[in-house]
Amino acid sequence: MPTPHYGQPRYHVIADELRERIESGVIPPGALLPPESVLTAEFRASRGTIRQALAVLRKNGLATTEHGRGTYANAYAFSHALSGGSDVQKREREVAADAELAALFGVEIGAPLIEFESVTRKGRNVSAVTRTYRLSSPAY
Amino acid sequence: MPTPHYGQPRYHVIADELRERIESGVIPPGALLPPESVLTAEFRASRGTIRQALAVLRKNGLATTEHGRGTYANAYAFSHALSGGSDVQKREREVAADAELAALFGVEIGAPLIEFESVTRKGRNVSAVTRTYRLSSPAY
DNA sequence: AGAAATTTGTCCGTATGTATC
DNA sequence: AGATACATACGGACAAATTTC
């Protein structure tokens, strides 16, 4: 693989992508980001480049890294996006599994799932809707 | 010590050796491989290099690792294309807006949306499914 | 039941060699 | 030549899950 750095350096592009995920709620506040090893695979970047990207997030207050544990998305990032003119509404509800979700979770169609929905608005427009589904009763 | 990686990288050589032991039955299916600490001594490689070799085995479906327990040799079926060996599977597709999404985004029902789906697995079970919806053609 | 040891998971910092822009 | 990035490798430290005593 060549090393094209048109415009922006890779670590900056990666940092932007991760910031987008944090501010949009794809990575919810307080959640762990994927470990460096996974990020290297996802972005096909070397560990050094990934670490540079994470350093950018830390410097901007979007993430916090703990030795031996991982890198957290900061809750502060949410309010940052809020003050930036976007608005986020959240809600949690119980829904019935459709065929697709049932197949994924290995439950019957109609089985109860917890749906966590996050609606991100910028101005009057909705920019993103994120729905996270989990089993309502723990899998054992 | 310097780090000459002439020819094949060390983790690759080590992975090959371990695969040989598994396929030849020296390490029978279901048995635990030696712990990383022992492998570092055997191959005189750093732990990181050993873990890289083990990652190759996992990716090839030859071994399975459990936190705090160890790495098992798999009774190897050919699970290469199936699981891919990764924890998170992602895909992106275009879907039609249902009534709720249409109302949120302010588009007509059936209008095209980009759906980004991420399926997180723990072991064999799906632990979470996240779907993020965005407008397919940015409205600005 | 509880403490210690084992083992894997993750991050830190550093270093070398290679390749491309 | 310099900056960026990749792949590889080392050693150390802390965290978390599991097993053992």
Side-chain angles (χ1 to χ4, degrees), chain B residues 49-61:
Chain B
T49 302
I50 295 296
R51 287 178 58 76
Q52 222 169 339
L54 292 176
V56 171
L57 297 182
R58 282 192 296 268
K59 188 170 288 185
N60 292 29

Side-chain angles (χ1 to χ4, degrees), chain B residues 3 5 9-11 44-47 49 67-69:
Chain B
T3 310
H5 50 280
R10 300 197 59 192
Y11 75 88
R44 295 187 186 179
S46 73
R47 197 180 153 215
T49 302
H67 192 171
R69 188 167 286 168

